Amino acid sequence: MNVAVKENKKKREQKSTDEFIKGLWKENPVFVQVLGMCPVLAVTNTSMNALAMGLATSFVLLMSNILISLLRNFIPKQVRISSYILIIATFVTVIDYVIQAISVELHKSLGAFISLIVVNCLILSRAEAFASKNTLKHSVMDALGMGIGFTFALLCLGVVREVLGSGTVFQFQILPENFQSWIIMILPAGGFFTLAFWLLFFNYLKERKAKS
Amino acid sequence: MNTASLWSIFINACLINNFVLAYFLGICPFLGVSGKVATASKMGAAVTFVMVISSLCAFGINSILTAINAPYLQLISYIVVIASTVQLVEMFVKKMSPALFNALGIFLPLITTNCAILGLVLFQTAKGYNILEGFVYALGAGAGFTIALLLMAGLREQLELADTPKIVKGTAITLLIAGILSLGFMGFSGLG
């Protein structure tokens, strides 16, 4: 019996690492599920903005997943979506004030997009599809995985756009001074093109893997 | 109130700073419901309606919140207003046209999490528009959203017939088109 318990425990642990891993790659919120596109395109004109946005979103995702998972047996089914949105909005208000306290400049450059984390489909979809049905531990792992996956995707875009658009990464000059920067990369159109090319790249990799 | 400034607010929200192509707001329905022109136009109308109502309500809420000095409640009360308006529209559409209700599917309740609407309300507050300017701004933003959606839907209907390579099918090609549209809309920037 002891063995069975142990095995069961092992299985459960296995599962919680799975929840963590899946957000990073297999179910990456941006590249695979195509969720939360607005911030992905809008604030990735520099790597710093992308990182800050990724961390802020991960924070809100983690906190709301925790709270929703704890309250999952108390929230009536009919009003669940509105309750989730209220919980998310509360944490977004918190992170909005936190960012303002840390760096006014960063707050300015992210602008309305911090408040707009409320309507990031990624967070609501995790709440509805995962946290409302799973235990606290799994929800935390899920939120961490998805949050890191989201931040990673934002950085993918942010770094490419900053390098090509201004020749820098996190404001360090990496391309030679005389590099003619591609202004289009920091304009809105550049966001669409960069994401399109990342998706093309991943599709290509998938295709090649499927063939071999 | 001078009409010229109202007109410029409208043009600004609709073309120069198009919500979808310049501010990246409302990308989800833009990618999701832009398959057919007929559905796209109705989606555009629904979003415009919710925008106008939310913009008017937000103006009222904002003056109350300023009066009682509680700006930290702003975000929470805005989202509640938007969610209730969407609920209203959903009931209305379900009653008036079940076919449209089915065509819009999940994207109807998802108007709540359409960033274009919350974005509109936040920008309106940040710019300090009065009630009439807010109304025009909401109309312009709604029109801009509908235009972008219609353009995309028209292009995608044609694309169905085109012979695209397998790896660009789906989201990738849609994003490439959106990028080109966005470049096109940059041409309007001289109008302001």
Side-chain angles (χ1 to χ4, degrees):
Chain A
M1 190 197 154
N2 215 352
V3 178
V5 170
K6 236 182 207 167
E7 216 153 67
N8 215 346
K9 201 177 164 199
K10 204 173 167 193
K11 220 184 212 167
R12 233 180 302 145
E13 252 159 32
Q14 183 87 40
K15 198 185 163 222
S16 71
T17 30
D18 278 356
E19 307 299 359
F20 179 69
I21 300 289
K22 73 169 196 273
L24 301 183
W25 186 247
K26 217 166 68 201
E27 290 181 26
N28 186 291
V30 176
F31 294 132
V32 179
Q33 302 187 59
V34 203
L35 286 176
M37 281 295 111
C38 309
V40 170
L41 293 165
V43 296
T44 50
N45 47 3
T46 68
S47 339
M48 195 59 215
N49 282 358
L51 182 65
M53 190 64 193
L55 292 180
T57 309
S58 308
F59 168 79
V60 176
L61 184 58
L62 179 63
M63 298 310 281
S64 58
N65 252 15
I66 290 178
L67 201 61
I68 288 166
S69 166
L70 287 175
L71 292 175
R72 69 183 185 279
N73 296 327
F74 301 99
I75 297 176
K77 222 175 161 45
Q78 295 83 351
V79 293
R80 66 182 196 287
I81 300 283
S82 2
S83 326
Y84 299 159
I85 290 234
L86 278 184
I87 291 173
I88 296 169
T90 314
F91 287 116
V92 172
T93 310
V94 171
I95 196 79
D96 189 16
Y97 281 90
V98 169
I99 292 183
Q100 216 166 346
I102 296 173
S103 157
V104 179
E105 203 182 315
L106 187 62
H107 188 261
K108 223 184 241 162
S109 74
L110 290 178
F113 282 95
I114 303 174
S115 311
L116 287 175
I117 297 178
V118 180
V119 285
N120 190 329
C121 346
L122 166 65
I123 299 178
L124 193 66
S125 83
R126 285 339 281 170
E128 165 75 1
F130 199 89
S132 61
K133 299 186 186 101
N134 286 283
T135 55
L136 177 63
K137 193 172 141 203
H138 286 161
S139 303
V140 169
M141 293 313 267
D142 176 70
L144 285 176
M146 287 291 165
I148 294 172
F150 187 71
T151 314
F152 165 73
L154 280 174
L155 276 176
C156 278
L157 268 94
V159 169
V160 170
R161 286 179 74 183
E162 197 182 333
V163 167
L164 295 176
S166 27
T168 55
V169 171
F170 289 102
Q171 282 159 17
F172 290 114
Q173 192 79 30
I174 59 153
L175 290 178
E177 290 283 345
N178 57 9
F179 171 71
Q180 185 71 45
S181 52
W182 306 3
I183 301 294
I184 186 180
M185 293 314 273
I186 38 180
L187 293 174
F192 284 118
F193 288 135
T194 319
L195 183 59
F197 282 115
W198 273 112
L199 285 175
L200 277 182
F201 177 62
F202 288 128
N203 280 352
Y204 170 73
L205 286 187
K206 239 185 275 168
E207 190 87 335
R208 220 178 53 171
K209 209 171 154 195
K211 260 184 202 154
S212 62
Chain B
M1 181 49 60
N2 94 48
T3 25
S5 77
L6 284 183
W7 184 238
S8 93
I9 288 176
F10 182 83
I11 291 292
N12 190 25
C14 176
L15 296 177
I16 304 168
N17 288 321
N18 185 287
F19 268 51
V20 178
L21 298 168
Y23 283 160
F24 300 115
L25 297 169
I27 300 284
C28 298
F30 180 63
L31 298 178
V33 208
S34 58
K36 285 206 179 70
V37 174
T39 332
S41 60
K42 280 160 193 159
M43 182 70 184
V47 168
T48 311
F49 177 76
V50 178
M51 275 180 168
V52 171
I53 302 282
S54 320
S55 142
L56 295 179
C57 295
F59 183 77
I61 289 177
N62 197 39
S63 40
I64 296 172
L65 288 183
T66 325
I68 60 170
N69 197 17
Y72 45 85
L73 285 178
Q74 196 188 50
L75 195 56
I76 298 178
S77 29
Y78 283 173
I79 197 77
V80 171
V81 166
I82 295 173
S84 356
T85 320
V86 172
Q87 197 83 59
L88 199 77
V89 173
E90 200 181 340
M91 276 158 25
F92 180 76
V93 172
K94 200 173 180 181
K95 184 110 186 157
M96 298 308 281
S97 156
L100 177 59
F101 183 77
N102 289 332
L104 291 177
I106 180 72
F107 285 98
L108 196 56
L110 276 184
I111 298 180
T112 312
T113 52
N114 184 338
C115 1
I117 293 165
L118 188 62
L120 168 96
V121 173
L122 289 168
F123 289 146
Q124 175 197 333
T125 317
K127 290 183 179 178
Y129 282 156
N130 66 25
I131 193 156
L132 189 61
E133 287 169 328
F135 178 70
V136 173
Y137 189 54
L139 274 184
F145 181 80
T146 315
I147 290 175
L149 212 58
L150 282 177
L151 283 174
M152 188 51 127
L155 287 168
R156 278 178 74 175
E157 276 188 359
Q158 297 295 315
L159 201 64
E160 290 283 297
L161 308 168
D163 183 24
T164 42
K166 202 178 158 206
I167 56 163
V168 291
K169 275 217 162 70
T171 325
I173 188 81
T174 315
L175 283 168
L176 281 176
I177 296 176
I180 297 169
L181 276 181
S182 165
L183 276 181
F185 268 70
M186 271 166 56
F188 286 118
S189 57
L191 283 177

